[in-house]
Amino acid sequence: MNWINAIVQGVMLGGVYALFACGLSLMFGVMRTVNLSHGDLAVLGAFLVAVLAAAVGISPFFAVLLVLPVMGLVGVALQRGILSTALRTGEMSSMLATFGLAIVLQNVLLEIFSADSRSLDVGSLATAGFQLGPSVSIPYLGALTVAVAVALLGGLQLLLARTGIGRAIRATAADADTAELVGIDSRRVYAWAAAIAVATAGLAGAFFAMRSSFSPSMGPTQLLFAFEVVVIGGLGSLWGTLAGGMVLGVAQTVGAQVDPRFSIVAGHAVFLAVLAFRPQGLLGMRRSRT
Amino acid sequence: MSPSTEPLTARAGGARRADPATPPVLSARGVHRRFGSLVVLEGIDIALAPGEALGIVGPNGAGKTTLLDILSGAQAPSEGSVTFQGQDVTRWKADRRCRRGIGRSHQVPRPFTGMTTYENVLVASVQGGSHRRGAAERHALGVLERCGMLAQANRPAAALTLLERKRLEMARALATDPQVLLLDEIAGGLTDAETDELIATIEQLRADGIAIVWIEHVIHALLRVIDRLVCLAQGRVLAEGEPDAVMSDPRVVEAYLGSAA
């Protein structure tokens, strides 16, 4: 039954990965920008939640709600201050710019908070859970993370499919120049997309920090996992991002069940297998840009 | 014939005669466009009277599409200005001009892939036409019906045929409630019957008071609709005025039809 437990734990872990990947996927889908500072923005979110919770003496869950709009503004600043200029000179410029931002963020966080690991204290919720049969336990925090990931990705899917701003985002993603010719302010759309993407990065960072320790240097690793999730799930599909998160999480926990050393390697192996045999991802469609 | 910024009197027997005293709804003055050492437009002056239909012809590379880009805001002129409804809009981006009333269709249709036909038109209705909720939906459906695309409303735009894509291109531009519609070679590749339908649609738009700038290689279609014709060649206005007179101008015949004519 340990295998079943490993799969269940993998799904929980997958919830965090799906949260991480959500913003990365959105930003790439809309602006064709691979935001290499995505992982570090998530770490920034985790630190902001930790500082706010400690300073005001509130629950990290409440602090997350206050930090999300701040992270949204960080996203708008990122778009207006760095990406809008970089995008004009090509996709490579925006990648380099976000790479630079990642290094700056890591070092600023290191300077302020030192290299020590810390974690977000969520009290007894960190370890509490319920038994499902003799050897399968469901931690409440893990279940909550999965629920938040499903709600977030489902909510974003609804936003994109049913609302005016959602259709404007999809039109801009398909063809930004033509979108402007039907009255869509692409700068505003990009700012919205960046705000949503960075806010979800902050949310992911906070949930990660609740389940394990974090430090200023963990951003690049999380970026790598998020990137793998997007590729496994398929570009342009938010449900694919959720599925990709679950697949990567399960691959890592099942790999760890075989041998703890195999955990990360198993995730990478699944990523490479998807890239080799289904490059459009599990739920992605072959994209054609016209 | 010298280029003029004054809207000319419409063709004799045409549907509409523009009053010379009426200020132009859209005009370009002294427009140059250069890409490095390549000069695409060189001192273009054109003006469009309210409700007027202006045709633009010219050989390939004459700068017709670039001129339309500059009028719609997709490109900025290297020199010169664009005025819309008495306001200098040279520095306005395309989305702002669209919301103010300049609609545009592309020569090669560019539907938003990943969206249905209806969504393509709805997004234009909301963003460009500033319609809200139910009104936006009714407006989008009305435009689809007008362009004969209602039956295709729920099909993915990527799955449409060329003719349907051209109609969608027109419907999407109309959904933004333009006062000026810029059309780029929409009759190319259509059968005679389809061209007749297209002309009927455009005539209806004119009846609604929408001014039109129409670039077209299908001259016989163009001549059935327009009040005035401009011939561009090598980035300059070669001839301008009453359509039949422009088409029979020896310089136009030589530049546009080549030595074979």
Side-chain angles (χ1 to χ4, degrees), chain B residues 76-228:
Chain B
S78 309
E79 265 177 58
S81 66
V82 178
T83 306
F84 179 59
Q85 293 178 326
Q87 197 164 11
D88 187 337
V89 297
T90 313
R91 299 180 70 84
W92 288 22
K93 282 178 51 190
D95 60 293
R96 193 172 169 201
R97 292 192 202 187
C98 172
R99 289 194 296 274
R100 190 58 82 83
I102 300 179
R104 158 88 191 259
S105 80
H106 285 103
Q107 181 180 355
V108 178
R110 288 163 66 170
F112 299 127
T113 50
M115 294 170 82
T116 65
T117 302
Y118 171 63
E119 285 180 313
N120 263 267
V121 178
L122 182 62
V123 75
S125 169
V126 172
Q127 302 287 336
S130 304
H131 293 282
R132 288 286 162 262
R133 298 174 189 280
E137 291 166 9
R138 282 191 299 277
H139 181 59
L141 290 172
V143 167
L144 282 174
E145 187 170 21
R146 192 172 192 177
C147 297
M149 288 293 288
L150 202 52
Q152 318 297 335
N154 290 322
R155 285 181 62 202
L160 298 178
T161 64
L162 177 65
L163 172 65
E164 289 165 344
R165 283 177 180 228
K166 289 199 167 211
R167 286 182 174 169
L168 172 58
E169 191 77 14
M170 175 99 132
R172 202 171 54 183
L174 283 182
T176 65
D177 285 341
Q179 290 170 38
V180 173
L181 189 57
L182 310 175
L183 301 172
D184 196 349
E185 293 194 29
I186 49 169
L190 302 191
T191 64
D192 286 347
E194 288 163 355
T195 305
D196 286 345
E197 268 182 55
L198 179 75
I199 287 171
T201 307
I202 294 175
E203 286 290 4
Q204 182 60 44
L205 301 178
R206 297 208 48 208
D208 292 349
I210 298 175
I212 290 166
V213 178
W214 184 4
I215 293 178
E216 192 54 75
H217 279 307
V218 184
I219 305 288
H220 67 89
L222 191 65
L223 293 181
R224 284 165 61 185
V225 174
I226 56 168
D227 302 313
R228 191 158 56 95

Side-chain angles (χ1 to χ4, degrees), chain A residues 94-279:
Chain A
S94 61
M95 273 179 75
L96 286 173
T98 56
F99 182 63
L101 177 67
I103 293 170
V104 170
L105 273 175
Q106 280 170 43
N107 284 285
V108 168
L109 291 173
L110 194 63
E111 193 66 35
I112 299 174
F113 298 105
S114 84
D116 296 343
S117 288
R118 59 176 77 199
S119 62
L120 273 180
D121 184 12
V122 288
S124 59
L125 193 64
T127 49
F130 59 97
Q131 284 297 123
L132 205 71
S135 60
V136 178
S137 65
I138 310 274
Y140 288 133
L141 186 59
L144 178 67
T145 310
V146 171
V148 168
V150 170
L152 176 72
L153 288 158
L156 268 182
Q157 186 79 46
L158 270 180
L159 176 92
L160 290 177
R162 298 286 170 83
T163 68
I165 182 70
R167 276 186 286 269
I169 289 175
R170 285 159 60 208
T172 307
D175 186 341
D177 291 338
T178 302
E180 292 196 348
L181 287 175
V182 300
I184 297 170
D185 183 350
S186 61
R187 266 170 56 93
R188 188 168 146 261
V189 167
Y190 286 161
W192 266 101
I196 296 170
V198 173
T200 61
L203 188 68
F207 272 95
F208 181 89
M210 288 174 197
R211 57 175 292 139
S212 47
S213 61
F214 67 102
S215 68
S217 60
M218 72 162 223
T221 312
Q222 299 313 313
L223 172 72
L224 184 65
F225 290 155
F227 190 68
E228 290 185 345
V229 166
V230 173
V231 173
I232 292 172
L235 283 172
S237 165
L238 287 172
W239 293 124
T241 300
L242 186 66
M246 301 301 167
V247 167
L248 184 67
V250 169
Q252 289 186 356
T253 51
V254 168
Q257 184 70 22
V258 176
D259 185 315
R261 288 174 303 174
F262 288 164
S263 171
I264 304 298
V265 175
H268 292 333
V270 168
F271 162 71
L272 287 175
V274 168
L275 211 52
F277 297 111
R278 198 177 161 81

